[in-house]
Amino acid sequence: MHVLFVCTGNTCRSPLAEAIARRLIAERALDVTVASAGTSALEGMPASDGSLLVGLERSYDVSLHRAQRLTRELVAEADLVLGMAAHHVERAGELGGQGKVHLLTDYALNRRTGRAIADPFGGDVDGYRLMADDLERELARVVERLAKEPPPQVSP
């Protein structure tokens, strides 16, 4: 299975989500790969300083991350696409992801919450820490759900 995390710039939320999920998946020895992309990403940008710092504090390495723009091909390659906010879900759906695109918090709780993962971009490091706390909590639920019930395969 392949999971794609989506945010806006692919420098703050989705790279950290990818790193957190990668660790949780490895701890559970699941056959799941992860990647991330941004709806408005500037190709090749590194993770933001805030995400790098919080990653270092929590031993998530995002130092090699390079941003990539969300494309139809990335959506097609994914079995599950998890957006950080409603507009990310909408854009991934427009790129062919109907049926496999969800708001991360909705998927984590297996019910509609409509709650976005807050974007810390431009804020202080405490905003990045709060975002990381939120991602750790929600991704633990996502990985638990994936371990119990992998998403169904969606035909192209």
Side-chain angles (χ1 to χ4, degrees):
M1 179 189 329
H2 182 62
V3 179
L4 180 67
F5 296 102
V6 179
C7 70
T8 305
N10 194 213
T11 60
C12 298
R13 293 172 285 180
S14 59
L16 203 53
E18 180 183 354
I20 294 167
R22 188 172 282 119
R23 179 185 298 163
L24 293 170
I25 289 163
E27 288 171 356
R28 300 287 300 263
L30 299 176
D31 186 18
V32 178
T33 59
V34 293
S36 63
T39 56
S40 299
L42 294 174
E43 293 283 337
M45 292 293 293
S48 67
D49 290 344
S51 287
L52 282 165
L53 177 62
V54 171
L56 285 171
E57 289 175 350
R58 299 173 188 218
S59 300
Y60 301 119
D61 185 5
V62 294
S63 64
L64 298 178
H65 173 78
R66 293 299 174 262
Q68 63 179 346
R69 184 177 293 266
L70 184 66
T71 64
R72 187 170 295 281
E73 293 75 26
L74 289 173
V75 171
E77 292 168 1
D79 299 302
L80 176 65
V81 180
L82 298 175
M84 301 296 146
H87 62 281
H88 304 130
V89 171
E90 181 181 336
R91 181 64 183 136
E94 291 167 354
L95 293 172
Q98 298 85 354
K100 64 178 176 180
V101 181
H102 306 273
L103 191 62
L104 187 143
T105 54
D106 289 359
Y107 191 84
L109 293 171
N110 200 15
R111 65 179 168 81
R112 177 143 171 63
T113 67
R115 187 178 67 78
I117 301 293
D119 187 356
F121 185 75
D124 64 16
V125 71
D126 286 334
Y128 283 86
R129 289 180 180 124
L130 289 172
M131 179 247 329
D133 291 343
D134 201 10
L135 284 173
E136 286 174 335
R137 181 177 51 255
E138 299 303 331
L139 287 167
R141 293 174 177 145
V142 166
V143 171
E144 180 67 25
R145 184 171 175 194
L146 291 176
K148 290 180 180 175
E149 52 171 286
Q153 297 299 315
V154 177
S155 346

